[in-house]
Amino acid sequence: MPRSTTAAAVLAATVLSLAGCSGDGGEDAARSSEPSAGTTTASSAGATAPPSASPSGEPPSPSPTPTSPPPATDAASASVTAPPSVSPSPVPTAGQRQKLVTMTVTGGFAGVQQEVVLRGDGTVRTSDKGDTEVRRSSAAQFTRLRTLLGDPALDDVPASTVDRGAADLFQYTLRFDGRTVVTDRSAERPALDRLIDALGKWLPA
């Protein structure tokens, strides 16, 4: 082979070798400029991902805030602390000689002097300035009067409630259950007032 041909072949091989090296370097540079998959995954894991939109395009609903349950009430203790209602019971009877209650009414402009007595057999004796009359109450009337006498609120009524500055008021004197109660009704006593009203219906007009 001539020497000139051999030199040309060596030169060509050298050029091709240099071209191949530069091409490999470009690919390596391109690879180094691209982020690695491991680096992307690590950075993504440390960041907070934005909420994903729903398929319809609406923003996701916020998570419900937990609320504390209301405190439980102790119904049993409430029922124990509530005061029980007490219904009056009719007072017992012991026959005709028993005077369950006696009410005397005096005073007023005309000088009233009246009395009504409820006996244990249901009879009612009334008197008006000496005139006496005896009548018999019905079963309902008798039970009603005895129930009014059995009202526990009567235990709280004082022995005397009289306005000394009012001379023209009627004065009511009641004797029952071993007690004597005097009032002119100037002070409000519901249990006593109900009893006076019921007995007053038997007095002469």
Side-chain angles (χ1 to χ4, degrees):
M1 177 181 298
R3 185 174 298 178
S4 60
T5 304
T6 303
V10 171
L11 180 60
T14 302
V15 171
L16 291 174
S17 176
L18 292 175
C21 291
S22 62
D24 293 341
E27 291 179 0
D28 292 339
R31 292 193 190 98
S32 62
S33 62
E34 294 179 358
S36 63
T39 304
T40 305
T41 304
S43 60
S44 299
T48 302
S52 58
S54 62
S56 61
E58 298 179 355
S61 301
S63 301
T65 303
T67 57
S68 301
T73 57
D74 193 346
S77 61
S79 61
V80 171
T81 56
S85 57
V86 179
S87 300
S89 300
V91 296
T93 61
Q96 182 179 3
R97 294 182 178 274
Q98 179 189 19
K99 293 181 179 180
L100 293 175
V101 58
T102 299
M103 183 177 74
T104 303
V105 185
T106 58
F109 291 111
V112 172
Q113 180 71 37
Q114 296 178 326
E115 186 179 71
V116 55
V117 180
L118 175 64
R119 295 173 175 170
D121 62 349
T123 57
V124 179
R125 181 177 64 83
T126 60
S127 63
D128 182 13
K129 293 181 179 180
D131 296 334
T132 303
E133 183 180 1
V134 177
R135 289 174 287 172
R136 179 172 291 277
S137 63
S138 66
Q141 290 171 331
F142 191 39
T143 300
R144 169 66 175 164
L145 290 169
R146 290 165 53 217
T147 301
L148 291 173
L149 284 168
D151 192 338
L154 288 176
D155 297 338
D156 300 328
V157 174
S160 178
T161 52
V162 176
D163 184 0
R164 301 298 180 183
D168 57 340
L169 296 178
F170 290 110
Q171 183 169 296
Y172 301 83
T173 303
L174 293 93
R175 299 176 179 86
F176 60 93
D177 194 27
R179 301 175 58 196
T180 299
V181 175
V182 181
T183 181
D184 58 4
R185 306 189 74 172
S186 57
E188 194 172 318
R189 306 289 178 182
L192 185 62
D193 290 340
R194 287 191 292 268
L195 179 59
I196 292 174
D197 291 339
L199 292 172
K201 294 178 181 180
W202 293 89
L203 293 173

